Amino acid sequence: MQAAPLIETKITKAERTRARLIEVATRLFQEHGSDEVTVRAIAAAAKIEAGSIYYHFASRDEIMRAVLESGVDGARQAVMRAIEEAGADSSPLLRLRAGLGAHFKYTLREHFSSRLRSIRRLPKRLREQHMAQEREYAAIFAGLLREAERKGLLRPGFDLSVVRMLAMGALTWAAEWFDPEGEMSADDVADELMRVLGGGIARGAGDQASGDQKRL
Amino acid sequence: MQAAPLIETKITKAERTRARLIEVATRLFQEHGSDEVTVRAIAAAAKIEAGSIYYHFASRDEIMRAVLESGVDGARQAVMRAIEEAGADSSPLLRLRAGLGAHFKYTLREHFSSRLRSIRRLPKRLREQHMAQEREYAAIFAGLLREAERKGLLRPGFDLSVVRMLAMGALTWAAEWFDPEGEMSADDVADELMRVLGGGIARGAGDQASGDQKRL
DNA sequence: GTCTATACGGGGATAGAC
DNA sequence: GTCTATCCCCGTATAGAC
């Protein structure tokens, strides 16, 4: 059907099928949680027979890993785009807000919380591949926090790595309770988080609201 | 061995075995994640044969539910105790800190994150029983936030229910990354969360640190 | 590349003896 | 109450035809 004279660059049928399998698996993992989904179910959803899957993947774990890989990669791209759209010269905290919002929305779409336990079950090799990718992803947010600190935008005394994990964890968990049908939008949640993260909930001017235990 | 003349109040062998099973199952769920643990494994750890379990529980799901029940109950007690120790006349935010700390420490010990997906898998009946218990638990924290608001301790404009879920979610997730062997203690994490929650990370006096997007 | 058929194992659960 | 034996289903994965 196509010209495609360069055999080297041609997308093979296998590649297309493989891509479709990842796509379908992602959706199923998202809907039912990665544990629930059987190879047979993935096959059925991809309109293929179960046995055929093993032409494309060596094991179920490999499918899992491929899904995670494409997922983290997609999240990374979405987050980077949001950050760029916020403008490179905007406040790092504004960019952080943009990044967290994109992260949350992506998590909701791909529902990556499915990873939770499943990751531990992955064979070491596959797991570490994934972890490396995750660290890279986290570095985006860590970088913004560091930049904010460097620019003197932050109150001193925070362990930024902990702050980052708390903030991202709040959103990861939010993907569990968030109701897309509800009154709040994903952006509302991200905004609320950022309001808390930025200024805290306690009243009191400046250092009085510093959140030290004594002030509580 | 014991007098125990009142047959009605005597703890039967069955009750003891059942309790032991819950105990053992809790530990296994905590260590390996609730999905990983088989009925056979629970039986083995309780030094009993697999089949015998079904004298005490109708199904694996029932074991699961019992574990969750005793878990949430334990957490509730621990949190209430911590709150009481903080003193009924102390600031609600100080009590919130105490409660969150206890919550986190309990989560670490019983590692309740194992619940994550597993809950969805529970038959409706069992799941709703658990959800009700969870709501009751959450109400403890919701109550403290409301009290703080009533006493004028909070900046206005927050959706406290969202704030609560974000804060608890941050800790739930923290149980995943927290390293008991690391330099930070569980209390350090809870403190850091409370510092962020209370005063925010952004510099700037009073309303300037209000965390509105424009200020970022 | 994809199909069909099937091996293999493991997990939940039951039956009936003790 | 607990044991032993066993059923039955379902999941992953393989083999070989097409």
Side-chain angles (χ1 to χ4, degrees):
Chain A
M1 291 299 190
Q2 295 168 289
L6 305 167
I7 16 170
E8 285 296 312
T9 50
K10 194 166 142 200
I11 293 159
T12 67
K13 184 179 185 185
E15 282 168 327
R16 268 187 288 116
T17 307
R18 191 189 145 95
R20 192 173 81 246
L21 284 168
I22 295 178
E23 223 177 280
V24 161
T26 302
R27 207 195 44 189
L28 290 177
F29 284 176
Q30 169 208 121
E31 277 171 23
H32 308 111
S34 52
D35 298 342
E36 256 31 42
V37 180
T38 66
V39 171
R40 289 198 229 272
I42 297 172
K47 308 227 189 280
I48 209 179
E49 291 305 310
S52 311
I53 287 212
Y54 290 87
Y55 176 81
H56 303 279
F57 295 94
S59 69
R60 186 187 185 283
D61 282 338
E62 289 281 0
I63 303 179
M64 180 94 192
R65 210 210 94 260
V67 168
L68 289 174
E69 180 175 298
S70 96
V72 179
D73 192 61
R76 212 203 68 244
Q77 287 181 34
V79 168
M80 290 301 274
R81 200 174 321 121
I83 290 179
E84 278 161 26
E85 277 169 14
D89 48 352
S90 66
S91 153
L93 288 178
L94 190 59
R95 271 173 285 151
L96 181 62
R97 161 65 187 80
L100 286 175
H103 167 72
F104 184 47
K105 276 183 270 188
Y106 195 89
T107 303
L108 286 176
R109 254 190 300 131
E110 307 284 326
H111 215 281
F112 259 50
S113 341
S114 347
R115 293 169 310 164
L116 287 186
R117 289 271 145 197
S118 323
I119 289 175
R120 311 201 172 191
R121 235 200 325 271
L122 282 179
K124 212 171 175 185
R125 183 66 159 266
L126 303 180
R127 192 176 61 232
E128 297 195 339
Q129 242 177 305
H130 174 68
M131 295 304 239
Q133 224 189 336
E134 278 281 315
R135 273 193 297 276
E136 204 186 320
Y137 182 59
I140 302 177
F141 299 93
L144 290 173
L145 280 171
R146 270 206 314 279
E147 184 187 335
E149 185 178 45
R150 217 171 40 235
K151 293 192 172 164
L153 299 173
L154 303 189
R155 294 195 295 129
F158 287 104
D159 182 326
L160 293 186
S161 136
V162 170
V163 169
R164 178 186 64 72
M165 291 192 284
L166 289 172
M168 295 186 74
L171 289 184
T172 300
W173 189 252
E176 292 287 330
W177 54 258
F178 181 74
D179 174 16
E181 315 288 311
E183 291 187 6
M184 284 198 115
S185 71
D187 270 313
D188 289 337
V189 173
D191 278 334
E192 193 78 344
L193 172 65
M194 208 54 210
R195 261 198 299 275
V196 174
L197 188 60
I201 61 172
R203 184 191 288 278
D207 315 28
Q208 279 212 300
S210 70
D212 286 311
Q213 273 174 263
K214 289 136 196 163
R215 307 282 159 168
L216 296 181
Chain B
M1 291 299 192
Q2 295 168 286
L6 306 166
I7 14 168
E8 285 296 312
T9 50
K10 194 165 141 200
I11 292 159
T12 68
K13 184 178 184 188
E15 282 167 327
R16 269 188 287 115
T17 307
R18 191 189 145 95
R20 194 173 79 247
L21 284 168
I22 294 178
E23 224 177 279
V24 161
T26 302
R27 208 197 48 204
L28 290 177
F29 284 175
Q30 170 208 121
E31 277 172 22
H32 307 111
S34 53
D35 298 343
E36 254 36 37
V37 181
T38 65
V39 170
R40 285 173 163 86
I42 297 172
K47 307 224 189 283
I48 210 179
E49 291 306 309
S52 311
I53 287 211
Y54 290 87
Y55 176 80
H56 303 279
F57 296 93
S59 70
R60 188 187 182 282
D61 282 337
E62 290 280 0
I63 302 178
M64 181 96 191
R65 210 210 94 261
V67 168
L68 288 175
E69 180 175 300
S70 97
V72 179
D73 192 61
R76 211 203 70 244
Q77 287 181 35
V79 167
M80 291 301 275
R81 201 174 321 120
I83 290 177
E84 277 160 27
E85 277 169 15
D89 48 352
S90 66
S91 153
L93 288 178
L94 189 59
R95 271 174 284 149
L96 180 62
R97 159 66 186 81
L100 286 174
H103 166 72
F104 184 48
K105 277 184 271 189
Y106 195 89
T107 303
L108 285 176
R109 253 190 301 130
E110 307 283 327
H111 215 282
F112 259 49
S113 341
S114 349
R115 294 169 310 164
L116 288 184
R117 290 270 145 197
S118 324
I119 290 175
R120 310 202 171 190
R121 233 198 328 269
L122 283 180
K124 213 170 174 183
R125 183 66 159 267
L126 303 181
R127 192 174 61 231
E128 297 193 340
Q129 242 176 305
H130 174 67
M131 295 303 241
Q133 224 189 336
E134 278 281 316
R135 273 194 295 277
E136 204 186 320
Y137 182 60
I140 302 178
F141 298 93
L144 290 174
L145 280 171
R146 270 206 314 278
E147 183 188 336
E149 184 178 45
R150 216 169 43 234
K151 294 193 171 162
L153 298 173
L154 303 188
R155 294 194 295 129
F158 287 104
D159 182 326
L160 292 186
S161 138
V162 170
V163 169
R164 179 187 62 73
M165 290 193 284
L166 288 172
M168 296 187 73
L171 288 183
T172 300
W173 188 251
E176 292 287 330
W177 55 257
F178 181 75
D179 174 16
E181 315 288 311
E183 292 187 6
M184 285 198 114
S185 71
D187 270 315
D188 289 337
V189 173
D191 278 335
E192 193 78 345
L193 172 65
M194 208 54 209
R195 261 197 300 274
V196 174
L197 188 60
I201 61 172
R203 184 191 289 279
D207 315 28
Q208 278 213 302
S210 70
D212 287 311
Q213 274 175 263
K214 288 136 196 162
R215 306 284 160 167
L216 297 181

